[in-house]
């Protein structure tokens, strides 16, 4: 019998914690190993209980959920963090990316969607990339941030950053801007099949399962060189 997913819930509202516990534990493949109502307690529990997934409310009293997520991920990168908020906010999304969250969602998410989210992040999926790509101006900010980090790397490290060809980097850049395969082909004056071949190559080289994961990987490495400097803001 497969081991059940170990979930830690961090929220200062008992009814919300109880509702999540009931939703998860009736499934049979998940176990709520602990609950915490504040950040300091949560960090201690995560270190002691070693959960697979942590659900954390962004608006905790005292140490906020983002700081809690940052500390837990630093101490145990294996743990998948899902950041929850009363309302979705671009600044919170950006900060959730920075602390290494695997997903970011409003707290009114449907129980079935949250269950699927927990299962997905436990398997290593990085769902937050879908939120980023749905908001081009957030993607722009993330890209600038990681490009600055990449530029601060020493030359020896930077030399290790190039498994992709210049054409593949161009295609990743297009994907990050939300272009379809057809639009990429038109922009780069290549065939749709060539675009597909390049994407297959990119996924293989980066050892990721889909194009959004490839974009996030490239963002983290600072490979994508977006031409947004001086551009007008992109609307939702």
């Amino acid at each position: 019998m497969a081991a059940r997913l170990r979930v830690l819930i961090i929220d200062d509202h008992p009814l919300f914690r109880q509702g999540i516990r009931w939703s998860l534990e009736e499934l049979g493949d998940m176990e709520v190993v602990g609950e915490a109502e504040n950040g300091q307690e949560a960090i201690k529990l995560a270190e002691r209980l070693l959960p697979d997934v942590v659900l954390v409310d962004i608006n905790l009293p005292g140490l906020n959920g983002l700081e809690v997520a940052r500390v837990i991920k630093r101490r145990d990168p294996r743990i998948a963090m899902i950041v929850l908020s009363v309302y979705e906010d671009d600044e919170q999304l950006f900060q959730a990316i920075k602390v290494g969250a695997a997903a970011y969602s409003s707290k009114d998410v449907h129980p079935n969607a949250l269950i699927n989210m927990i299962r997905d992040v436990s398997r290593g999926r990085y769902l937050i990339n879908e939120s980023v790509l749905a908001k081009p101006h957030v993607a722009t900010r993330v890209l600038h941030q990681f490009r600055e980090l990449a530029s601060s790397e020493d030359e020896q490290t930077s030399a290790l950053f190039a498994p992709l060809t210049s054409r593949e980097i161009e295609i990743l850049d297009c994907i990050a801007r939300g272009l379809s395969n057809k639009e990429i082909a038109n922009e780069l004056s290549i065939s749709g099949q060539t675009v597909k071949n390049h994407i297959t190559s990119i996924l293989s080289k980066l050892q990721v399962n889909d194009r959004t994961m490839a974009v996030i990987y490239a963002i983290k490495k600072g490979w994508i060189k977006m031409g947004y400097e001086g551009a007008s803001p992109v609307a939702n």
Side-chain angles (χ1 to χ4, degrees):
M1 182 176 178
R4 291 189 292 175
L5 287 178
R6 297 169 57 80
V7 180
L8 173 63
I9 305 169
I10 309 169
D11 193 283
D12 60 332
H13 294 91
L15 284 176
F16 184 78
R17 296 197 308 269
Q18 188 64 61
I20 293 180
R21 177 183 284 275
W22 285 343
S23 295
L24 300 186
E25 292 194 332
E26 67 179 7
L27 300 172
D29 66 336
M30 297 187 194
E31 174 187 8
V32 176
V33 295
E35 299 178 21
E37 62 181 17
N38 63 68
Q40 295 295 346
E41 180 186 5
I43 291 168
K44 293 177 183 178
L45 281 179
E47 193 167 17
R48 179 166 62 86
L49 299 174
L50 302 176
D52 301 303
V53 179
V54 172
L55 305 178
V56 57
D57 180 12
I58 206 167
N59 295 310
L60 293 174
L63 197 64
N64 71 43
L66 290 169
E67 286 303 316
V68 172
R70 187 193 309 277
V71 173
I72 291 176
K73 284 295 289 184
R74 185 186 301 128
R75 293 185 179 181
D76 190 348
R78 177 193 64 83
I79 296 174
M81 304 294 306
I82 298 177
V83 174
L84 300 173
S85 178
V86 173
Y87 59 90
E88 292 190 27
D89 175 82
D90 290 350
E91 177 62 26
Q92 290 180 351
L93 170 60
F94 179 72
Q95 296 302 327
I97 295 165
K98 289 180 66 177
V99 301
Y104 168 81
S105 173
S106 64
K107 293 176 73 172
D108 64 359
V109 60
H110 191 280
N112 288 339
L114 181 61
I115 289 165
N116 290 334
M117 193 182 300
I118 293 170
R119 287 173 175 154
D120 283 342
V121 300
S122 74
R123 300 184 186 111
R125 286 197 62 193
Y126 196 69
L127 301 182
I128 207 164
N129 55 15
E130 298 171 9
S131 300
V132 173
L133 295 180
K135 298 178 179 290
H137 57 292
V138 178
T140 300
R141 188 176 174 193
V142 173
L143 288 166
H144 286 322
Q145 178 89 17
F146 283 107
R147 285 180 64 188
E148 288 175 6
L149 292 176
S151 66
S152 68
E153 299 283 352
D154 58 47
E155 291 183 2
Q156 183 176 1
T157 302
S158 296
L160 301 176
F161 271 9
L164 304 181
T165 66
S166 58
R167 176 62 88 186
E168 288 167 345
I169 291 291
E170 283 183 305
I171 288 174
L172 267 182
D173 172 84
C174 292
I175 294 171
R177 288 187 280 127
L179 273 61
S180 66
N181 285 7
K182 182 178 180 180
E183 290 168 331
I184 294 171
N186 290 337
E187 177 158 323
L188 301 181
S189 300
I190 56 180
S191 71
Q193 185 59 51
T194 299
V195 172
K196 291 180 181 179
N197 292 343
H198 279 304
I199 291 175
T200 298
S201 175
I202 290 167
L203 299 183
S204 176
K205 287 180 178 180
L206 301 185
Q207 297 184 341
V208 295
N209 296 324
D210 58 54
R211 50 198 276 157
T212 53
M213 290 176 68
V215 168
I216 293 299
Y217 189 95
I219 287 173
K220 286 185 173 181
K221 293 297 186 181
W223 295 337
I224 301 178
K225 293 180 171 55
M226 303 290 283
Y228 285 125
E229 290 81 0
S232 58
V234 181
N236 278 325

